[in-house]
Amino acid sequence: MVERDTEAEKKEILRRYRGLLRAATRSRSPQDRRRIRKAFNLALEAHKEMRRKSGEPYIYHPIAVARICAEEVGLDTTSIVCALLHDTVEDTYITLDDIQNLFGKKERRIIDGLTKISGVFDQTSSMQAENFRKMLLTLSDDIRVILIKIADRLHNMRTLDHMAREKQLKIASETLFMYAPLAHRLGLYNIKTELEDLSLKYKEPEQYQEISAKLAKTKAVRTRFINKFAVPIRKALDAERIDYEIKGRTKSIFSIWSKMQKKQVRYEDIYDVFAIRIIVDTPIEQEKAEAWKVYSIVTDFYQPNPDRLRDWISIPKGNGYESLHTTVMSPTGKWVEVQIRSRRMDNIAEKGFAAHWRYKGDTESAEHNLDNWLAQIREVLESHEDDALAFIDDFKLNLFSEEIYIFTPNGDLKTLPKGAKALDFAFHIHSQVGSQCIGAKVNHKLVPLSHELRSGDQVEIIVSKKQTPKEDWLSYVVTARAKQKIKQALKEERKKVAAEGKDTLRRKFKNIGASFLSVNINALQDHYDVETATELYYRIAKGNIDIKKLKGFTVDGGRLSFKKRDASQQKRQDTKSVMAPVPGKKEVLLIGDEAQRMDYTLARCCNPIPGDDVFGFVTVNGEIKVHRVNCPNATQLLSNYAYRVIKTRWASKELEHFEVTVQFSGIDDVGLVQRITNIISSDMNVNMKAISFESNDGIFDGLVRVQVHDTEHLHVMIDKLRNVEGVLNVQRMEPGQMA
Ligand code: MN
């Protein structure tokens, strides 16, 4: 063991604690100081025996996280208290009840959130995604949970040196994947940049070192350039008696690296390694006028590029960013970006929305923006039923994407991600506007729903009460909100249609004297081979199932039943194809892990024959239905009712016959039918049950229903048919084409 100087350590702990208090500028009152002291003492005691990987006392970590919260995020006393205690419940004897007794309910909730989301990433990737979703859900409870979590991650990244290499890589990747984008969305620009740079440092150490060395080497040149560039501007600003600061802002190592990767260029080829920032100290009422005054002065000396003017003062970005950007030509012939903003804007840009708290009177709009964003996330999260990974993709798309600004006809401004379509905008306004959208006018010109919007467009949405959301809308909308709403509406629409079908069925049952009971509905489901009652109602309403023509049933004491044989005759009528009865069940299938011989029926929706890839499905009545794996119903059955699926394989070939329909087409020719039937019945000795031909302008389409032993038998026959002169295409009719 290493000899430790505990006295020196105690002193160091106190020194760090006092540093935290100095940084906690929002917590000056005696009560605030008491709460912080209490949290510190508790954390100190609880983590007493613990050390970090580096060998340092563990308490350094919570103190540092609390300090980041206070100093770099600008958070309140409650956050500092919770940051100090953030690892106690997870790693020590302290319980949530203790926290509540000693501090309060709010603190309990935040620490609970922090404890729950720790270890979020110690999982496989889809678990990660699911957990991330959970993490965001807690985020919507109290934003402080996520801000403290980001501070925690930042300190861990700053002290990553002591971890094993694999651990470093893992933590760095997670940081880049989730925490940096989140910090970005929350407007924590400095933290986002540092997280990215630190991630790169561990992921690509050599490239990181190379870029940072080059930046250091060119620092003097940059400083000289900026000073020279600033000379005439300073003179003019002084003459106007404007309070200002001019500084150079270097691009982050990560963004230089990204640009090198993206454009496949060398460091030397990156022209916008730095920007010049002019910050004016001015009261909030005069910010805008002052910024434009500075702009006017800058462009008096240097020629601006009109394409590169960005006014985020009149229209702040969605994450609260405000600034005026222009790119001007420097005396050396290089384009230089100049960022003009007030002190307040600068603070907010670097520290995020929490900095708004410092500026009285302006908290409302910032918090309103954030609230909107959180409300949207909550909405998406809570109604989300798809798999978590797809969700994360949508979500990240929305996090990363650049923004475009769209105007309503009244001149209201809406922010949407780049790539958004007219339909996204409609859903952004209101889900009903989206659902009933039939078109849009962009800058007074009529465009389709899928029209991609551009920043500055004025968009008027055209609605119709008759419109309902369509499946194909999902193929072009980009916002998570629109996708969510469309999926939801489609589902509801289906339910509504199903309700109509249910009424129709209820009337039918009444007419034939059958009770409207689940046992009868099940019988009907089985008869039509439909898996769920809702699906049955839906098909009835849509006319896919015509119950007026329902035949072959008996009603006895209100109970409905079908004769098997009649049932398939019914099917024949419904599908208007020529089909013979399905063969009875014989022991040709081995079902389940034990390969038992059990009773089963072959599903009529896909008509399996030996050799097909199949699975068994236990129906509501406990019967086993055998479907082909490529049956149109299979995906749904396999994904939703996996527990009802049993392994099934074909037993050795027995001399059983199974029916399949073979479809073929070709060029009409005298004697063709003869040749085909000859091959089938004479050459192959296959029993032909039905055959139909249709000829149209010299092209024929035919269907033949035959009995074969298995897929091999079928394929030999198909191959022979393909060789018949005039036949162009022969194939087994696949499940999707039936009925
Ligand atoms: Mn921690």
Side-chain angles (χ1 to χ4, degrees), residues 27 31 122 166 396 487 544 624 702:
S27 316
Q31 300 103 290
D122 291 335
E166 305 84 53
K396 282 189 64 171
K487 282 185 196 164
N544 296 340
I624 298 166

Side-chain angles (χ1 to χ4, degrees), residues 272-455:
D272 55 349
V273 163
F274 72 99
I276 288 170
R277 186 174 299 170
I278 304 174
I279 299 161
V280 287
D281 284 295
T282 176
I284 191 159
E285 317 81 64
Q286 281 157 43
E287 283 179 331
K288 194 170 170 179
E290 292 277 278
W292 284 105
K293 202 191 255 175
V294 175
Y295 173 83
S296 155
I297 288 170
V298 170
T299 52
D300 278 347
F301 297 101
Y302 304 109
Q303 191 63 41
N305 180 341
D307 291 340
R308 301 292 303 270
L309 177 65
R310 299 283 180 272
D311 176 9
W312 285 305
I313 291 181
S314 308
I315 303 168
K317 282 194 189 183
N319 65 3
Y321 183 83
E322 292 171 88
S323 194
L324 186 62
H325 290 190
T326 176
T327 299
V328 300
M329 182 64 80
S330 71
T332 54
K334 265 172 60 174
W335 289 110
V336 184
E337 183 178 280
V338 181
Q339 308 170 344
I340 303 162
R341 56 174 77 160
S342 70
R343 179 70 62 193
R344 180 191 64 86
M345 293 171 190
D346 192 50
N347 270 326
I348 291 169
E350 305 219 315
K351 293 192 177 165
F353 83 99
H356 279 280
W357 284 329
R358 293 176 195 184
Y359 300 93
K360 266 200 189 152
D362 193 49
T363 54
E364 249 169 62
S365 70
E367 278 173 17
H368 179 69
N369 261 340
L370 194 72
D371 275 354
N372 273 347
W373 184 66
L374 287 174
Q376 271 186 34
I377 291 180
R378 195 179 302 139
E379 207 178 316
V380 172
L381 287 169
E382 283 170 355
S383 58
H384 207 82
E385 289 167 2
D386 297 339
D387 74 306
L389 269 179
F391 161 75
I392 290 292
D393 282 347
D394 282 359
F395 183 77
K396 282 189 64 171
L397 190 76
N398 280 297
L399 268 184
F400 278 118
S401 54
E402 288 174 49
E403 289 165 336
I404 55 170
Y405 302 98
I406 306 297
F407 294 94
T408 67
N410 316 333
D412 283 344
L413 185 89
K414 306 280 173 189
T415 311
L416 285 166
K418 203 174 159 189
K421 309 298 190 303
L423 190 56
D424 285 297
F425 179 72
F427 275 101
H428 187 83
I429 293 175
H430 195 278
S431 49
Q432 197 183 342
V433 176
S435 297
Q436 299 186 337
C437 180
I438 53 170
K441 277 186 184 170
V442 170
N443 307 324
H444 307 292
K445 252 176 68 189
L446 202 60
V447 300
L449 300 181
S450 56
H451 178 84
E452 183 171 334
L453 301 177
R454 300 175 57 174
S455 220

